Amino acid sequence: KFLLIFCWFMLDYVDGGIARFSKKQTKYGHFIDTIAAYYLHAFLPICLSVGLAFQPEYSLNILLEYLSIKESYFSILIIIFGSFASISNILLRLIVSTMRITFGNDPRDKNNLPGNSSLISLIISYIESTISPRGLYFPFLIIATFLNILEWFVFIYFIIYLIALICYVIWYSLSLHKNTN
């Protein structure tokens, strides 16, 4: 599994670099690359969690014991974590796309932030780049695969996307309210 994830990771980054270098970028190529990434983000956490439910690595046992959760609930919990990470990732992308289409603005754009704060824009940009595939997502996935701690990958992304979904929905609502008044 490590080699498959690493090969995909390398090919995903190489194709765009070659297209930019050779000046053969196309809208179709960008569309296909983006859709492929959406599929990956939609299905990777849930697929990992289903696989881990059937063949656990037992790397979350310390956390389960600390939280007094019976090991028999592990399969259900890991599928919930992976499902939520998958769904919330796609929901966040849909919210941003819908705001762009409906209102003609990107809520992450610093000009659309309440108070026009460039510091807030910088913080949001930093957080998004850190948890995105271009940030820590794939290096963490590769390391977790290599170290047999994929359960932690699924759990951490569950937590990240839970927080992101709550914060961004509130933030986007404030941004939307500001821009529609």
Side-chain angles (χ1 to χ4, degrees):
K1 58 188 168 181
F2 173 77
L3 287 175
L4 287 174
I5 291 171
F6 184 75
C7 287
W8 180 88
F9 173 73
M10 292 306 294
L11 290 172
D12 184 51
Y13 286 96
V14 169
D15 70 336
I18 290 172
R20 283 185 290 280
F21 180 75
S22 65
K23 300 193 186 323
K24 293 185 179 181
Q25 295 169 274
T26 65
K27 288 182 180 182
Y28 179 74
H30 175 72
F31 174 78
I32 293 298
D33 189 55
T34 301
I35 295 302
Y38 286 1
Y39 271 98
L40 175 80
H41 294 301
F43 292 111
L44 183 65
I46 186 66
C47 289
L48 283 175
S49 66
V50 168
L52 291 167
F54 287 105
Q55 292 184 330
E57 297 173 337
Y58 302 106
S59 62
L60 281 179
N61 279 2
I62 295 170
L63 179 63
L64 295 175
E65 288 174 12
Y66 180 76
L67 297 173
S68 300
I69 298 173
K70 294 179 183 177
E71 193 174 313
S72 60
Y73 294 125
F74 173 78
S75 296
I76 294 168
L77 284 175
I78 199 72
I79 289 175
I80 289 170
F81 295 156
S83 299
F84 188 87
S86 293
I87 292 168
S88 58
N89 184 300
I90 296 303
L91 279 174
L92 289 170
R93 293 172 191 281
L94 287 172
I95 290 167
V96 171
S97 293
T98 301
M99 287 188 72
R100 282 187 198 137
I101 292 166
T102 305
F103 299 103
N105 68 17
D106 185 339
R108 298 170 298 182
D109 181 3
K110 69 179 178 182
N111 296 323
N112 294 326
L113 296 174
N116 241 354
S117 172
S118 59
L119 176 62
I120 293 172
S121 176
L122 181 66
I123 291 169
I124 289 172
S125 176
Y126 177 76
I127 291 169
E128 286 181 348
S129 66
T130 301
I131 65 172
S132 78
R134 305 244 186 267
L136 296 178
Y137 187 91
F138 286 118
F140 180 39
L141 177 60
I142 290 169
I143 291 167
T145 303
F146 185 71
L147 296 176
N148 290 324
I149 56 169
L150 281 170
E151 294 161 349
W152 281 100
F153 174 84
V154 171
F155 177 70
I156 288 170
Y157 269 85
F158 161 74
I159 297 297
I160 287 171
Y161 282 109
L162 173 66
I163 293 168
L165 190 60
I166 291 167
C167 292
Y168 285 155
V169 165
I170 291 168
W171 190 256
Y172 293 166
S173 297
L174 291 174
S175 174
L176 178 64
H177 180 71
K178 172 194 168 241
N179 290 316
T180 56
N181 284 332

